[in-house]
Structure formats: C-alpha cells, structure tokens
Amino acid sequence: MSDTVTDYDKLALRQGHEYINKFGRGLSAILAQATVLRNNIQSISDGEHLDDTLYSPETKRVFFFNKMYNAVNYYRIYLPEDYSGNKKYPLIIIYSTLEYNDRAKFFQNYTHESVIAVDISMRGMTLGSYIGEAAIQAALEDLFSKYNIDMDRIYCTGTSNGAGGTWAQLETFPDRFAGGYVVSGHPNLELLCNIENTKLLCLSSDADYMNNVAFKKPMKLLENHPDCIPISADQLSHQMLEFVWFKQQPFEQLLSARRNLYPDKIVYKSTSNRHRKAYWVEIHSIADGQTDGMIDARICSPQKIEIHCAGINGFTITIPPQINTTEFIVSINDEYIYTFNKECSRHICFAQTNTQCSNFFEPVDSYTPLVDMHKGNGLLDVYLDPLSIVVPVEIPESINAVAVAYSEPYCNGFIPKIYVKYPIVNYDELICATDIAERSYVVIDDGSDHPLLNEIRKKARVNCSVSGWSYNGKVYQGKCCVQQIVNSPWNPARNIHLISYNDSTMLKKNLFTRKLVIPTYANGRHAFLNNDALIFDEAGYHGILDYSCDPINL
C-alpha cells in the first residue's frame, strides 16, 4: 500500500469537505435519514407488514404527515414488552430539548409498571409556544390514533426547552394531564394558577443559572399547591440536571397521579381564545378590549356552585357529578344567583347580556360556539393552523424576502432555528387549490387587482391605499406597512395574516417584515405581534388590540 495521496484522494477529500461545509450541523440528520430509508426499503423487500413495526415492543420512530407545513415528521416511541391492543397504558410525553431527542428508550429499564413513552419534537427551542404547540398537537393526534392510551394517565416531562414546553402544556391544557415533571424550564408565572389540580414535580439546583425563574419563583407561587413536589439537587449545573432526571423514584411519584375531570375547585386564566377550557368549565371568549380572561369555579356543596369571572363574555359549565341536580344554585360574582333543577341541561351557558355591567351574566338557552379563535394571539395565530405563505405570481425581491422570513421564522433560543419551512404559493396557485379552505395564510398584498386579493380585502378592517391607511373612518397619510388578521373568506375557522404596503421600502424598514422571531408563552403577551393589527408608518408603530379598540402608539 502506498502512502502517496493521489489526485482521486484529493478530489474525494475536497468534495467531502465541501459537503460538510454545505450542510453543517444538518449533515448527521441527513445521513441518519438515509440510513432509515435504506432500512425501511429492506423491510418492505423482506415482506414485513407495517403493524410488525408499529406495535412491536421496542423503541422506534413513527413517521407521520404534518399538515402544519406539509412535511413528514416523526416521534420516537417506546412500547413495553406486554403491549397489547386490548389494554390501555399510561403515556409519558417527553418534550425534546433540541429538534429531536432519544429518551423514550430509557423506559425499557422502568420496572414499576408497563408504560408507553414518547419523544415529541417542538420543532426547535420554541418552549412549546405557537409553532411548538401546533407541532405537539399534530404528533399527539397521530399517536392517539394508533396506540391504546389511558386518557386519565397522561404525563409530560422535559428539561430546559422541553421543560418550558411542559409548563406551557400544563398551563394551557390542564385537563389533558394527570401530572407533569419539569426540569429547569421557564413557566409563564401568571398562569401557574391553572395547574392546581395537576400533580407536579419540579427539579432544579442552586448551581443552575435558571434556578430563580425555573424553581424559586414558581415554587413560591405554588407553595399552597396540594400536590407539588420540589426536588432540589446539590451543585448541579443546568446541563448536569439531565443526568438525575430519569431516576425511577420521581417517575413512580408522577405515575401515582390520576386525572380528575371534576375537581371541586378550578382557577383558569387565559390570554388566548385558543385556550379556553379547563375541566368542567369553558370560557366562551376573552371580552373585547381585554388582554386576558379568568374564571374561578368552586363546588361549595352538593347544592351550590360558585363562580367568579372577569375579562370574558360568557362561559359554560358541565354539571359535575358532585352536584345534586334535584335542585342547586349557581352564584356568579357574589351578585347574581340562579336556581336550577333536574329539568335543566347538563351543560348550562351563561352570557354577558348587559355590556354596561361586566359582572352581570345570566343563563341563555342558545350559544353559538366560538369558531374564530385568533383573539389574544393576534397576528401569530395563523401559526397554530396548517399554514402557507402567499405571494404574487411575479415576485419582486422585496416581497420574496418577507415570504422567506415568514416561511422560515426564528425563535429566541440559543439555537435560533425553528425546524419548519412553510410552503410558498402564488396567487394563481392558491385560487385554484382544492384545499384552500383547510389552511390559514400569510398573504403579501402587492396592491394589484388580482381577484384573490379583492376577495380578501373585503374582510379587512384596516385599509391600505396609495395615500396611507385608514381605520374606522379615520385616515392616516403617508408611507405605511399594515399587518392585520383577516377572517378567511373560505372558512370561518381559519384566518389570514394580511401584509399590505404602499411603498416597498417600508417592508425593509419594518422590523416584523424583515425578520420574524416567534416569542414564547412564558414571556406573556407580545406588545406588537399579539395585536389583531400592527401598522408601521413614518410616525412609528401602532397596535390595534382587537377590532373593538382604537389604535395606540407602541
């Protein structure tokens, strides 16, 4: 064998170096997917049935089509040795710290009982917010359709970014989970009241740089929580906490909990109409002009339910089994008392029929359930639906840059990439699409007379013209870029984030069309992006909370 480097060797080295430079951190993922593809082709060639893989007792990747951005994603799932279609199993959801994790396999060593464990991607360091929430929902929808889950024994856990996702899921969907185990993650401190009926374990360390926000503050606020277990590790850094996370004892404690759909006391606060239900109460909508809504519901006795609420326009209660339906009363805000008996419906709706008195709610016979849920999320609400970006047929660079920014948004994590790429289609393609009613859209309006744009503009509340912008009869002159939520003309349950302008230079000057950084639920309401409309003009930024409000300077 010669030690001489040949021309072929040099060529191979150069091409290998260029390939690594081109794909960077994504190279390992590309190679891994190629290996999976080869293995799957071999399994098909060997005549194996899909069920042999899906339901065999082992750790595996399960691929599914994600309508969010028309892509194939996967989750890693561990099935116990005794998995059977005739039995229901507890489910432990592990939210990934990075794009994907591989921790479900640890439960092959868990001997206390048979469980199913799954690693679910939040598409990056999203803390389970907006795109992260939609990714979780898509994966869980597929998982629930395939596997036998005990719905009263669903638990979630995660570390760092995954713990942020755990907090977000517990706070927004408290009646989905029996318990949660968070390892150094950032909650929304304002919404911790929502998890009073959920078993909680919280792990951190005094040497963890996130100890204050991830442990001290939430544990202080939850000091009266009836089933919260703080776990403090000694002198472990943020990264080292992972090595004590998967101890058997905390998971035994977590798995001892069961979901109770009818707790005696519910406190639920929401900043978004996407999140309105907790156990046996459901908020109809956050009220116009309000940034959040709250309901406190208590079973005081078998004959009395007591409700306190604020910032909402109505609510529905499902009568809990603790109530004696022969005759009982519902007290609202200590002012209004209504008597019911066994003749009443199991679901009782209350509405704010007197808008002059925010405390007044009375029973109503009919209630039309909310369809359009963008209130609270504002311009970002479209990222909770299947989404496409819509551009002109002939696309100038100024519009293309905006389209790419919304197709591939960023997050605020130390790895800012969100692992999505929403499809970009043009006006002609969309108007001919057979699935036009199934998706929400970010539509970039070039000011032309295209029939698609004309149909959308009829729904717009803020008008953008050559001379400026107008809202509720008032005109504001000058260069502008208008971003607003518009109800979809094709489906009332979908929305359009419409971006209009009268001077293309405003697209480059507007911070929110140059680059989109998706915020997190943990940081609360975003002063700009959670508005129903955001206008950038020569005087600065103006926000419209919802279309009952006037613009305010931001």
Side-chain angles (χ1 to χ4, degrees):
M1 180 181 292
S2 171
D3 291 334
T4 305
V5 178
T6 67
D7 289 340
Y8 176 82
D9 294 331
K10 293 176 182 178
L11 177 64
L13 287 169
R14 184 170 66 252
Q15 288 185 331
H17 181 261
E18 289 172 355
Y19 190 74
I20 291 170
N21 280 345
K22 178 180 179 181
F23 292 104
R25 298 180 68 146
L27 180 60
S28 60
I30 293 169
L31 296 177
Q33 297 308 314
T35 301
V36 169
L37 181 60
R38 283 194 296 269
N39 291 342
N40 288 343
I41 291 172
Q42 185 61 51
S43 295
I44 294 169
S45 301
D46 293 342
E48 294 183 18
H49 193 279
L50 177 62
D51 287 359
D52 296 335
T53 298
L54 282 180
Y55 303 112
S56 59
E58 58 184 352
T59 303
K60 70 206 73 190
R61 287 196 276 191
V62 177
F63 291 82
F64 66 97
F65 181 73
N66 191 336
K67 294 184 293 184
M68 281 172 57
Y69 60 111
N70 289 347
V72 174
N73 293 157
Y74 69 83
Y75 49 86
R76 281 190 173 92
I77 192 167
Y78 162 76
L79 298 181
E81 286 292 331
D82 66 349
Y83 183 79
S84 165
N86 299 318
K87 178 182 176 183
K88 294 187 181 296
Y89 295 83
L91 174 67
I92 298 174
I93 302 167
I94 307 162
Y95 297 122
S96 297
T97 304
L98 304 175
E99 181 187 7
Y100 286 108
N101 280 345
D102 186 13
R103 296 183 175 111
K105 63 185 179 184
F106 294 157
F107 283 89
Q108 64 191 355
N109 301 316
Y110 185 77
T111 58
H112 188 69
E113 65 174 315
S114 296
V115 301
I116 295 174
V118 61
D119 289 293
I120 287 182
S121 170
M122 303 186 296
R123 312 311 307 153
M125 295 193 166
T126 62
L127 272 67
S129 308
Y130 303 103
I131 293 171
E133 178 184 325
I136 292 168
Q137 299 292 78
L140 287 179
E141 181 180 328
D142 186 81
L143 186 150
F144 291 149
S145 73
K146 289 185 170 74
Y147 298 100
N148 287 353
I149 305 299
D150 182 344
M151 301 304 287
D152 289 327
R153 299 193 66 196
I154 298 177
Y155 312 88
C156 58
T157 187
T159 184
S160 193
N161 171 53
T166 302
W167 281 119
Q169 286 282 293
L170 293 174
E171 290 179 332
T172 53
F173 304 104
D175 54 7
R176 172 180 289 169
F177 301 98
Y181 178 15
V182 289
V183 183
S184 190
H186 195 324
N188 183 326
L189 298 175
E190 296 295 319
L191 301 183
L192 287 175
C193 57
N194 295 357
I195 61 176
E196 186 172 318
N197 295 300
T198 308
K199 188 178 187 70
L200 182 69
L201 287 80
C202 186
L203 170 63
S204 187
S205 170
D206 51 3
D208 176 12
Y209 71 89
M210 286 188 62
N211 186 250
N212 188 47
V213 70
F215 189 76
K216 290 181 178 178
K217 285 185 176 179
M219 291 302 96
K220 176 65 175 175
L221 292 169
L222 292 169
E223 60 184 356
N224 294 321
H225 187 293
D227 203 3
C228 176
I229 303 173
I231 307 170
S232 183
D234 187 40
Q235 290 299 306
L236 291 181
S237 68
H238 185 72
Q239 290 77 12
M240 291 297 291
L241 286 168
E242 181 156 346
F243 293 96
V244 296
W245 176 16
F246 284 95
K247 298 292 185 181
Q248 180 145 320
Q249 184 180 1
F251 282 97
E252 287 181 5
Q253 292 174 301
L254 182 66
L255 285 156
S256 69
R258 303 291 187 274
R259 180 179 65 164
N260 175 13
L261 286 176
Y262 298 99
D264 289 340
K265 177 185 175 184
I266 302 168
V267 179
Y268 189 67
K269 182 178 180 180
S270 177
T271 58
S272 159
N273 274 351
R274 292 277 182 168
H275 311 128
R276 296 175 294 113
K277 183 180 179 299
Y279 306 100
W280 49 271
V281 299
E282 181 173 0
I283 293 169
H284 292 172
S285 175
I286 298 171
D288 288 346
Q290 300 296 312
T291 57
D292 56 71
M294 184 279 299
I295 188 164
D296 181 323
R298 306 181 187 219
I299 301 172
C300 302
S301 74
Q303 287 78 38
K304 183 179 181 181
I305 295 174
E306 192 173 89
I307 304 286
H308 291 86
C309 55
I312 64 176
N313 67 9
F315 60 92
T316 296
I317 62 173
T318 300
I319 302 173
Q322 300 96 305
I323 293 298
N324 181 351
T325 55
T326 303
E327 185 171 282
F328 65 97
I329 64 171
V330 177
S331 167
I332 302 177
N333 292 330
D334 296 326
E335 292 186 44
Y336 307 98
I337 297 176
Y338 303 98
T339 301
F340 300 91
N341 57 42
K342 59 185 177 182
E343 302 299 324
C344 74
S345 168
R346 186 163 180 259
H347 307 286
I348 306 176
C349 301
F350 295 84
Q352 190 182 59
T353 55
N354 180 355
T355 56
Q356 302 303 311
C357 179
S358 60
N359 279 339
F360 179 74
F361 294 83
E362 65 178 346
V364 291
D365 293 330
S366 61
Y367 157 64
T368 303
L370 187 70
V371 175
D372 178 12
M373 300 186 186
H374 74 264
K375 167 71 174 173
N377 287 333
L379 299 172
L380 295 174
D381 190 74
V382 293
Y383 283 101
L384 285 152
D385 292 326
L387 178 66
S388 296
I389 316 301
V390 187
V391 297
V393 176
E394 299 293 330
I395 178 169
E397 178 52 37
S398 58
I399 288 181
N400 184 64
V402 179
V404 171
Y406 278 75
S407 172
E408 303 175 56
Y410 290 85
C411 66
N412 273 319
F414 77 87
I415 298 176
K417 181 176 177 60
I418 300 179
Y419 297 90
V420 293
K421 188 174 183 179
Y422 293 93
I424 299 175
V425 299
N426 66 46
Y427 300 161
D428 288 351
E429 290 170 330
L430 180 60
I431 207 165
C432 297
T434 57
D435 64 344
I436 190 171
E438 296 176 14
R439 305 180 73 78
S440 286
Y441 300 96
V442 174
V443 176
I444 306 172
D445 182 349
D446 67 350
S448 66
D449 195 37
H450 196 283
L452 177 85
L453 297 177
N454 290 332
E455 193 168 2
I456 295 170
R457 289 173 191 147
K458 291 175 185 176
K459 297 278 188 175
R461 303 292 294 271
V462 183
N463 179 56
C464 179
S465 66
V466 174
S467 59
W469 62 280
S470 61
Y471 173 67
N472 281 353
K474 188 172 182 179
V475 178
Y476 304 81
Q477 301 284 348
K479 297 177 183 179
C480 64
C481 175
V482 176
Q483 297 177 253
Q484 61 183 305
I485 279 288
V486 176
N487 296 132
S488 169
W490 312 291
N491 183 348
R494 295 287 185 255
N495 285 292
I496 292 170
H497 177 158
L498 180 63
I499 302 175
S500 312
Y501 60 94
N502 60 11
D503 188 306
S504 62
T505 61
M506 300 302 280
L507 293 175
K508 296 180 180 180
K509 293 179 180 179
N510 183 353
L511 291 174
F512 301 102
T513 50
R514 283 163 47 186
K515 180 177 182 178
L516 179 62
V517 179
I518 303 288
T520 68
Y521 298 158
N523 288 325
R525 182 178 182 274
H526 195 283
F528 293 80
L529 295 173
N530 286 148
N531 290 304
D532 278 4
L534 176 67
I535 300 95
F536 174 63
D537 62 16
E538 293 169 297
Y541 292 93
H542 318 279
I544 300 173
L545 171 63
D546 60 50
Y547 295 125
S548 72
C549 300
D550 292 328
I552 62 168
N553 296 329
L554 300 174

